[in-house]
Amino acid sequence: MPGHFEPLPGGGAAVALDEVEISIIRSLAVQLLELIGPGPAEDAPGDPLAELFAEGPSEPPSDPVLRRLFPDAYTDPVEPPADPRRAEENQAHSAEFRRFTENDLRAGKRDNALAVIRSLDALAPVDEAGAVLELSPEQSQRWLAALNDLRLAIGSRLEIGDEDDTDLLYRLPDEDPRKPMVMAYLWLGGLQETLVSTLMP
């Protein structure tokens, strides 16, 4: 079980994590929460309907990580349409789609990151040997989504665009300042992959 998820009887998954691994995942999840930011109801905490009826932004985020987490729905940055009129239409559709969906997407990503933090905080006292994290099927799905978001965020910072870029990461010299981030990216990928396999019927 060390370093990878295994299925639990009756559903869910378990993984053995040491103190450093717990600290890394928790820190990354907290950073993701800070990056995503608070929900619209934070501006009016006394109004329970504020978040329900708040409209989201219509422009893509300026931060490249947030653009990766919340991409345009109708535009293709790699192959934009040749027709300028079609490009304008796509941009308008993307803005409208973003306005009505981004708040919910952000709330979902916040909830997933919080679920990761809370499940780590609920672990039995962690000694030098670490602890075994056991997740219910619902928690497993939240972890899977959060791990994916964390990898997208780190991959964006590392400017990973395709599989060729990932292959280059394996050959980085140890003195490269990106090495710790690369190691986290690859490790989270392994966790994600084993968690996916435990959840497959």
Side-chain angles (χ1 to χ4, degrees):
M1 185 188 300
H4 62 272
F5 280 96
E6 292 184 358
L8 287 173
V15 64
L17 298 170
D18 64 30
E19 193 172 359
V20 173
E21 291 168 334
I22 292 168
S23 175
I24 290 171
I25 296 173
R26 192 184 190 287
S27 174
L28 289 172
V30 168
Q31 290 177 55
L32 183 64
L33 273 177
E34 292 171 351
L35 182 66
I36 293 170
E42 294 291 322
D43 297 331
D47 183 359
L49 298 178
E51 190 156 355
L52 184 61
F53 292 106
E55 288 187 358
S58 57
E59 295 295 320
S62 57
D63 187 294
V65 174
L66 289 175
R67 278 202 305 274
R68 188 84 170 266
L69 292 172
F70 305 102
D72 273 338
Y74 292 90
T75 59
D76 185 346
V78 179
E79 292 186 26
D83 182 356
R85 217 170 22 169
R86 182 64 187 268
E88 280 182 30
E89 287 175 5
N90 287 350
Q91 196 170 8
H93 290 315
S94 290
E96 192 74 357
F97 185 82
R98 183 180 295 279
R99 192 158 63 94
F100 291 110
T101 61
E102 187 166 312
N103 283 343
D104 287 341
L105 291 173
R106 284 179 181 258
K109 291 181 186 300
R110 275 194 300 271
D111 288 346
N112 293 333
L114 275 171
V116 167
I117 294 166
R118 287 175 179 147
S119 58
L120 292 174
D121 288 348
L123 281 173
V126 182
D127 56 24
E128 289 182 6
V132 175
L133 174 71
E134 295 189 354
L135 302 174
S136 69
E138 181 187 350
Q139 288 174 317
S140 297
Q141 292 293 342
R142 289 193 174 279
W143 263 75
L144 189 58
L147 287 172
N148 186 60
D149 287 341
L150 290 174
R151 291 193 77 236
L152 283 174
I154 295 172
S156 180
R157 290 286 186 242
L158 291 170
E159 299 181 346
I160 297 172
D162 54 33
E163 198 62 38
D164 291 339
D165 294 334
T166 305
D167 291 341
L168 291 173
L169 299 180
Y170 287 99
R171 298 194 292 273
L172 281 180
D174 289 343
E175 60 272 14
D176 192 299
R178 296 170 294 172
K179 191 73 172 187
M181 200 182 300
V182 167
M183 297 304 293
Y185 177 81
L186 297 174
W187 172 59
L188 291 174
L191 282 177
Q192 183 182 18
E193 188 176 330
T194 60
L195 184 52
V196 167
S197 66
T198 67
L199 299 176
M200 291 176 68

